[in-house]
Amino acid sequence: MIAGGPRSGKSHLAATLKRDGFRLHDGEELKRLGVGLGPDGSAAASRWLDESGPWICENVIMARALRKWLARNQTGLPADLFIQLDTQVTERVKGQQAMADGCQTVWDQIEPELVRRGAKILRARL
């Protein structure tokens, strides 16, 4: 699972890591589902985490989706590896920076629970 703010390299990393047999869940899938980046989108993305793998889930709402998954599932983890991209690789506009700040806030809230459950977390800068 790849989380991070806009322009942090999530899509690029997902494309680099994707292998044959891996499903990719991303923003394009959310568009096809007709949901945005709000509560409907994070609810849809949280259901991706219920699927058996192998998959890669990446989107700006993945931290919120993971928070929903953790609330529904009191034990266990939905993924083998959680990647948090915490820097920007290209310039963000004001709204994108606000979204990135929100993503970081949610990540900071859920990271202790991930650690408690034994998650393998990679904080990366591209």
Side-chain angles (χ1 to χ4, degrees), residues 57-117:
C57 296
E58 72 84 7
N59 192 272
V60 70
I61 62 174
M62 288 314 301
R64 291 191 340 247
L66 181 56
R67 180 173 62 186
K68 288 179 182 198
W69 190 94
L70 292 168
R72 276 197 324 267
N73 299 274
Q74 298 304 306
T75 61
L77 293 165
D80 298 328
L81 177 63
F82 300 87
I83 301 172
Q84 167 64 8
L85 300 178
D86 58 6
T87 58
Q88 68 188 55
V89 294
T90 60
E91 191 172 334
R92 294 175 176 147
V93 297
K94 186 177 178 180
Q96 290 173 325
Q97 186 57 52
M99 192 179 297
D101 293 343
C103 292
Q104 188 62 51
T105 297
V106 173
W107 183 264
D108 291 343
Q109 292 168 355
I110 63 174
E111 187 173 32
E113 179 62 16
L114 291 171
V115 169
R116 187 187 73 73
R117 294 187 191 194

Side-chain angles (χ1 to χ4, degrees), residues 3-78:
R7 307 281 185 185
S8 61
K10 297 176 306 298
S11 297
H12 177 76
L13 180 60
T16 301
L17 295 175
K18 189 171 182 292
R19 305 225 187 317
D20 287 340
F22 278 68
R23 287 185 310 281
L24 176 62
H25 295 295
D26 60 7
E28 292 303 313
E29 183 172 344
L30 292 174
K31 287 178 190 175
R32 287 191 301 274
L33 293 172
V35 296
L37 297 178
D40 290 342
S42 60
S46 76
R47 289 188 294 276
W48 295 342
L49 302 175
D50 291 327
E51 297 177 9
S52 59
W55 47 252
I56 296 174
C57 296
E58 72 84 7
N59 192 272
V60 70
I61 62 174
M62 288 314 301
R64 291 191 340 247
L66 181 56
R67 180 173 62 186
K68 288 179 182 198
W69 190 94
L70 292 168
R72 276 197 324 267
N73 299 274
Q74 298 304 306
T75 61
L77 293 165

